[in-house]
Amino acid sequence: MYEYRDVKLKIVEGDITKMEVDAIVNAANNTLLGGGGVDGAIHRAGGPSILEQCKKIGGCPTGEARITTAGNLPSKYVIHTVGPIYRDGSKGEAQLLYNAYYNSLKLAKEYKLQSVAFPSISTGAYRYPKEEAAEIAIKAVLDFIDKEGGIEEVYFVLFSNDNYLIYKDLLDKKFN
Ligand code: AR6
């Protein structure tokens, strides 16, 4: 566990659908109509009410975020955000990935949510390099805490041990 300005930052290796937090973040696509990876896992475990709400929302631009309730999941809400597809790093990918984290937290604050869990957005099907993506994720969260506050706990939930260790190294260097 790490602490930054009274906000707890935690890294967890595992499945984000199991997280008992106010909101888990989904790495969705622009349609918000589901897909593979973490998106597929969330819709499978959460049940059809999430997709019904997503259909009504009608899509989400890259870097923005939308919120639904969480159906059968142990969390209260799902924040659906869309990270960039990684091409060569010169297409604004870093800013869009940053925005996805930042705007997810803005929405959490609007809904007065205290605990939010993020997956490693864009590092699966969208092929963002994991190390760079982790640096951006951490920077966006710390910037949000500096500028906006209003959140108590942020979890980074990593599906693989190598990604867990990338986050652990970066956070150890920053905080230990
Ligand atoms: N819990 C936590 N992390 C997970 C889980 C899980 N249950 N399952 C996968 N991951 P991806 P993207 C990790 O592909 O790259 C979907 O089809 C995975 O190891 O889920 O943003 C959407 O509909 C990886 O590190 O999302 C979009 O079309 C990370 O989650 C597209 O994929 C993100 O991988 C979005 O691609």
Side-chain angles (χ1 to χ4, degrees), residues 25 45 59 67 70 100 123 136 138 146 153 162:
V25 176
I67 193 166
T123 62
I136 291 166
I138 291 166
D146 283 336
E153 282 182 312
D162 61 314

Side-chain angles (χ1 to χ4, degrees), residues 58-87:
C60 179
T62 306
E64 294 189 17
R66 302 289 184 265
I67 193 166
T68 66
T69 54
N72 305 325
L73 295 170
S75 62
K76 298 187 185 116
Y77 293 91
V78 177
I79 293 173
H80 305 263
T81 191
V82 185
I85 298 172
Y86 189 85
R87 301 192 191 282

Side-chain angles (χ1 to χ4, degrees), residues 9 13 16 19 33 40 44 58 75 77 89 99 107-108 134-135 144 147 165 168 170 172:
L9 306 174
E13 186 182 336
I16 201 167
M19 296 295 294
L33 296 180
R44 263 195 313 279
S75 62
Y77 293 91
N99 293 352
L107 204 46
E135 281 173 15
F144 185 89
K147 291 184 194 149
L165 292 176
K168 185 176 184 317
L170 287 172
D172 282 347

Side-chain angles (χ1 to χ4, degrees), residues 12-19 24-44 81-86 97 101 118-128 130 156-160 162-163:
V12 174
E13 186 182 336
D15 179 355
I16 201 167
T17 66
K18 311 281 190 232
M19 296 295 294
I24 63 170
V25 176
N26 182 15
N29 60 58
N30 295 125
T31 70
L32 298 187
L33 296 180
V38 69
D39 195 5
I42 286 171
H43 282 283
R44 263 195 313 279
T81 191
V82 185
I85 298 172
Y86 189 85
L97 186 61
Y101 282 93
F118 283 100
S120 177
I121 299 166
S122 284
T123 62
Y126 285 179
R127 298 186 309 273
Y128 211 109
K130 288 194 166 65
F156 295 107
V157 182
L158 295 321
F159 208 48
S160 66
D162 61 314
N163 211 7

